[in-house]
């Protein structure tokens, strides 16, 4: 009896909090594609999270391990959640096309996976959509929020003003970046050029390593006799080789970062083109 009364009291408190949030807290008309969402469960003693993919669709992992697309109402069904909270920066929702693309891909390819309330739950699925790895430890909402802050610079969570209202698809698509297949081809060409440059730089690094090895092998330890001048030349050459090695490695690291950035851009453009066509 006491347990029922406690749940009832928590439920009443949760309802009041949600009404206050919707009245006082800033609201958003529509999340961004790739926004992270959450809602309260069990009188807000737990939460449920997912990824917004546009057109009033959310990808979630349910408590049976099914990865599926649901409506906002289905997202909050089964719990006492009233509001859906949206990742935001200040007063504006934030999201990522890449996150949405991963969520869609998981829903299409994985479909069902193991589920555990604490060790393999919805928050870990949502985190996987952000980082691309199911094997993660973001099992609590506060952990997920930290990840969202790091990944999307989200410093706020806005209440979705009217999730029951299905927005017009054209209105939603108007918020997407206007990427085209030509944009994709352009970025792919840039990526290919950077990869080729990176490969050439790597060959330069390997050639330089051979020079360093040869220089070391012909060092003072191999000399029958030495002079101060010869030793100074050796040291100076060693310093030059070390500096060249440092510069080559820095160039290669910069190219790898640029390559990674372009790969992410390709995934982002592909995601938005896919969402538009879907």
């Amino acid at each position: 009896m006491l347990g029922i009364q406690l749940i009832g009291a928590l439920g009443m408190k949760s309802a009041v909090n949600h009404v206050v949030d919707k009245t006082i807290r800033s609201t958003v008309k529509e999340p961004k594609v790739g926004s992270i969402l959450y809602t309260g469960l069990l009188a807000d003693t737990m939460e449920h999270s997912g990824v917004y993919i546009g057109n009033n669709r959310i990808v979630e992992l349910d408590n049976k391990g099914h990865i599926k697309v649901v409506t906002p109402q289905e997202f909050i069904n089964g719990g006492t959640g009233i509001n859906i909270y949206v990742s935001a920066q200040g007063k504006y929702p934030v999201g990522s096309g890449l996150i949405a693309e991963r969520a869609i891909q998981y829903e299409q390819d994985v479909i069902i996976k193991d589920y555990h309330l604490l060790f393999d739950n919805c928050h870990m699925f949502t985190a996987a959509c952000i980082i691309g790895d199911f094997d993660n430890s973001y099992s609590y909402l506060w952990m997920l929020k930290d990840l969202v802050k790091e990944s999307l610079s989200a410093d706020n969570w806005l209440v979705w003003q009217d999730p029951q209202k299905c927005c017009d698809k054209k209105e939603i698509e108007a918020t997407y970046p206007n990427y085209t297949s030509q944009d994709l081809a352009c970025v792919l060409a840039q990526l290919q050029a950077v990869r080729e440059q990176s490969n050439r730089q790597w060959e330069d690094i390997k050639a330089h390593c051979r020079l360093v090895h040869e220089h070391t092998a012909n060092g003072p330890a191999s000399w029958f006799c030495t002079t101060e001048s010869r030793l100074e030349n050796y040291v100076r050459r060693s310093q030059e080789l070390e500096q060249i090695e440092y510069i080559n490695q820095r160039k290669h690291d910069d190219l790898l970062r640029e390559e990674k950035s372009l790969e992410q851009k390709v995934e982002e453009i592909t995601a938005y083109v896919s969402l538009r066509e879907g």
Side-chain angles (χ1 to χ4, degrees), residues 2-277:
L2 180 60
I4 295 175
Q5 290 176 340
L6 179 60
I7 292 174
L10 289 172
M12 180 64 70
K13 181 180 179 182
S14 171
V16 171
N17 287 341
H18 281 293
V19 171
V20 170
D21 277 349
K22 203 159 193 174
T23 305
I24 298 177
R25 188 189 287 251
S26 296
T27 60
V28 58
K29 181 179 179 182
E30 179 84 9
K32 288 283 188 181
V33 170
S35 287
I36 305 304
L37 311 178
Y38 79 87
T39 187
L41 299 174
L42 297 176
D44 283 352
T45 58
M46 300 180 67
E47 300 86 9
H48 180 52
S49 62
V51 176
Y52 186 68
I53 61 170
N55 202 21
N56 257 34
R57 298 173 298 166
I58 303 166
V59 177
E60 66 169 17
L61 173 70
D62 69 14
N63 59 8
K64 294 181 176 60
H66 295 103
I67 300 172
K68 58 185 183 180
V69 178
V70 297
T71 65
Q73 187 58 48
E74 290 169 332
F75 184 67
I76 62 176
N77 273 350
T80 58
I82 298 173
N83 292 335
I84 296 177
Y85 296 88
V86 182
S87 56
Q89 188 176 49
K91 296 183 178 181
Y92 302 96
V94 290
S96 163
L98 178 56
I99 293 174
E101 176 66 14
R102 285 193 183 119
I104 293 169
Q105 202 67 44
Y106 290 152
E107 188 271 333
Q108 293 174 348
D109 295 346
V110 180
I111 304 174
I112 188 168
K113 66 184 297 296
D114 293 336
Y115 179 87
H116 188 281
L117 183 62
L118 295 178
F119 305 119
D120 206 348
N121 59 24
C122 62
H123 302 321
M124 297 171 74
F125 165 74
T126 304
C129 295
I130 299 172
I131 63 177
D133 186 2
F134 278 117
D135 187 17
N136 66 75
S137 58
Y138 299 95
S139 56
Y140 292 94
L141 182 65
W142 67 267
M143 295 178 174
L144 179 62
K145 283 185 173 182
D146 283 347
L147 177 62
V148 175
K149 184 175 183 179
E150 178 183 342
S151 303
L152 296 176
S153 299
D155 56 12
N156 196 11
W157 293 85
L158 304 178
V159 176
W160 190 347
Q161 186 177 29
D162 190 5
Q164 307 309 319
K165 180 182 177 182
C166 186
C167 297
D168 181 76
K169 186 176 181 181
K170 290 183 178 179
E171 181 182 345
I172 296 170
E173 288 181 348
T175 67
Y176 297 172
N178 193 28
Y179 290 129
T180 64
S181 55
Q182 186 176 357
D183 294 322
L184 181 59
C186 181
V187 176
L188 284 171
Q190 293 175 23
L191 177 59
Q192 181 62 29
V194 169
R195 282 175 174 167
E196 291 174 358
Q197 190 176 354
S198 177
N199 289 337
R200 288 194 298 270
Q201 189 66 37
W202 180 244
E203 291 301 320
D204 288 345
I205 289 174
K206 291 194 293 184
H208 183 75
C209 286
R210 290 192 290 270
L211 280 178
V212 171
H213 178 74
E214 182 180 343
H215 177 69
T216 303
N218 294 324
S222 66
W223 298 347
F224 179 74
C225 62
T226 185
T227 63
E228 185 176 345
S229 175
R230 186 180 184 187
L231 186 59
E232 286 178 354
N233 289 336
Y234 178 83
V235 171
R236 184 168 58 252
R237 179 57 176 163
S238 297
Q239 292 172 341
E240 289 174 354
L241 290 172
E242 184 177 347
Q243 187 175 12
I244 293 171
E245 180 180 4
Y246 173 77
I247 292 171
N248 283 342
Q249 191 61 55
R250 283 291 301 272
K251 286 181 178 178
H252 189 249
D253 290 344
D254 288 344
L255 287 168
L256 288 178
R257 280 192 289 270
E258 186 176 359
E259 182 178 342
K260 181 65 175 177
S261 176
L262 287 169
E263 286 174 346
Q264 292 175 342
K265 193 67 176 178
V266 167
E267 291 182 1
E268 180 181 343
I269 294 174
T270 302
Y272 277 112
V273 170
S274 173
L275 288 168
R276 281 187 178 279
E277 293 176 350

